[in-house]
Structure formats: C-alpha cells, structure tokens
Amino acid sequence: RWPRALPLDDRRALAWIVAAFAVVAAVTFIPTVRSDGIEYYAYLRSPTIDGDLNFENEYHQTPFPQISDKFQPTVTGHYENLAAIGPAIVWAPLYTVGHVIALAGRTLGMPWRANGYDPPEVVLAVFTSALGGLVTMLAGYRIARRWAAPPAAALASIATLLGSNLLFYSMREGSFAHALSGTAATLYVLAWLRLEERPSVRRWGLVGVAAGATVLMYWIAALTLVLPCFTFARLLLVALRAPAGERAARL
C-alpha cells in the first residue's frame, strides 16, 4: 500500500532521500579517527604534511587513539600499512579545503597548526565518508527503481542507511574504509546493471572505472570482479552463435 499512500515521482523521492540523510547526519555525525582509521588517514597526512610515506609518526606521535605497537619498521626503515589507499584519495579534496581553513584560521589567531590534525582537516576529511553514505543511497535508489515505484525505492534507500551498518560507518567511524567501500560497490553494481541492460564500449568503460574504485577502497572487493566476467561470458556465447563471428569480433 505504500506507493499509493505516498505518490512520489523521482524528483520528490530524491528530495526525501536527501532530507532524510541531512536529518540523520545532523543527529548522528561524529568525526573520529581511531584504530584502523589511523592507517587510512596516514596515507593522507604523511605525504601532504611530512612529504613522505613513512608512517612512524602517524602511528606513534598522533593525537588520535593510538594503534597497537605491532607495526614495526621494515628493512627500509618505513612502517607497513595494511590499509587501502582509496579512502585517502577520496578524502583529499575536502581535506585540502580543511587545510586551507586551518592555515587561514592560524593567521587569524586560532590555535591551529595546520599539521593535519586540526579540526577543519579531520572533520572535512571524515565528513567525506558521510557524503559517501548519501551517494550510496542515491545510487541504491537508481538500482531499486528498476523493479519498484519511486515511493518503495525511496523507502528502501532510506532503510539502507537506517537499517544497516552504513549508518555506523558513515556517521560514527568515517575514518574506516567501509562507508566509501559501500559507495564504490553500489556504483559498481549500478554500472554493471546498466551494462547488462545495453552493452556498449562506454558502459564497459564505466564498469571498469567503478570496479577499479571499488578495489581501491577495500582490497577484498576484487572478488566482485566476477560480475562483468559473467556478462562477458554470456555475450560471448551469443556472439559465437552469430554468423561469421561478426558479433564476437565486435565484442
């Protein structure tokens, strides 16, 4: 009965999704960097502040709750990092804005050092993960619309935020990879569905970009590369049955 009770079109459904996200973010967002998040954040701070990729000070001289001493220097004198670099790449734009704000604030007398640990830098970097939750909802809506009307698709999208660990990892543990990994994976599935619906060189390219982003966020996500393999195998079987293999060559 829900679609009839709330007769939304796509535009209004998307507005509901954005409004729901804004309310949830206002109530629940807390910028934190700790535990594994220190490794992800090190990829961002070390090259921009120290000009290197030696994470010793990011691990042991940080205001964040410190990680275990299990990380020891390698034979090169550098410290290993088990995290993926993708989140740092995505955080970089807003982190840069935060760094500029910290520099400006320091000249105006704010107690900031623009050292990668000031509130503007941390808050804006981690808020990127929260925005990833919004992108996940919007992309999830586009996926759900293939089978459901706007009201039901919007409800499913909002429930994805409220009823899964996306809420926790986008609003409370944004320094972890999970929120952005979910975003990349959702965009990847959407790109794959579009490829399934109408294969083209452009859509194959979009699947490749989305797949690469997904793996950059979280290494184990490479297992999802099996999806376009299935698509290729299906299309190849059809193409090989065509006369003179013309479709196979085009594929």
Side-chain angles (χ1 to χ4, degrees):
R1 298 180 182 275
W2 175 256
R4 293 194 298 274
L6 192 66
L8 299 177
D9 55 23
D10 284 322
R11 182 180 60 83
R12 286 185 291 176
L14 292 173
W16 273 76
I17 292 171
V18 173
F21 169 82
V23 171
V24 171
V27 173
T28 65
F29 176 69
I30 296 178
T32 60
V33 178
R34 60 182 179 180
S35 187
D36 292 353
I38 295 176
E39 291 183 80
Y40 289 103
Y41 195 79
Y43 278 124
L44 188 60
R45 184 195 177 276
S46 191
T48 60
I49 304 299
D50 298 338
D52 60 33
L53 287 173
N54 191 330
F55 304 131
E56 179 179 7
N57 57 330
E58 277 76 24
Y59 290 167
H60 303 304
Q61 301 170 24
T62 171
F64 304 139
Q66 296 192 23
I67 57 179
S68 168
D69 289 335
K70 67 179 180 180
F71 292 102
Q72 301 297 326
T74 65
V75 293
T76 66
H78 287 63
Y79 280 67
E80 65 180 354
N81 191 324
L82 302 181
I85 197 172
I89 295 173
V90 178
W91 294 335
L94 286 186
Y95 167 84
T96 302
V97 173
H99 187 65
V100 171
I101 293 174
L103 288 171
R106 186 174 63 177
T107 62
L108 296 175
M110 297 293 292
W112 294 338
R113 294 180 293 173
N115 63 352
Y117 295 130
D118 290 319
E121 297 160 321
V122 175
V123 171
L124 288 180
V126 176
F127 186 67
T128 305
S129 294
L131 292 177
L134 175 60
V135 176
T136 299
M137 295 169 71
L138 297 174
Y141 174 81
R142 290 300 179 189
I143 292 173
R145 277 291 284 122
R146 282 159 167 74
W147 298 279
L155 181 62
S157 177
I158 294 170
T160 300
L161 178 65
L162 296 178
S164 76
N165 60 12
L166 179 62
L167 175 64
F168 179 71
Y169 284 114
S170 61
M171 300 300 172
R172 294 301 179 95
E173 293 290 359
S175 66
F176 285 34
H178 304 310
L180 293 177
S181 175
T183 301
T186 306
L187 291 171
Y188 170 55
V189 170
L190 178 59
W192 173 67
L193 288 171
R194 286 169 55 83
L195 174 67
E196 280 282 304
E197 292 162 354
R198 192 171 70 251
S200 68
V201 172
R202 179 176 178 273
R203 293 190 175 193
W204 273 110
L206 288 175
V207 167
V209 170
T214 301
V215 176
L216 273 177
M217 297 304 150
Y218 210 60
W219 307 128
I220 196 65
L223 294 172
T224 62
L225 294 177
V226 70
L227 293 179
C229 294
F230 287 147
T231 299
F232 185 82
R234 178 179 62 80
L235 295 176
L236 181 61
L237 183 61
V238 173
L240 290 175
R241 291 176 177 174
E246 293 178 1
R247 291 185 181 178
R250 186 162 59 250
L251 176 62

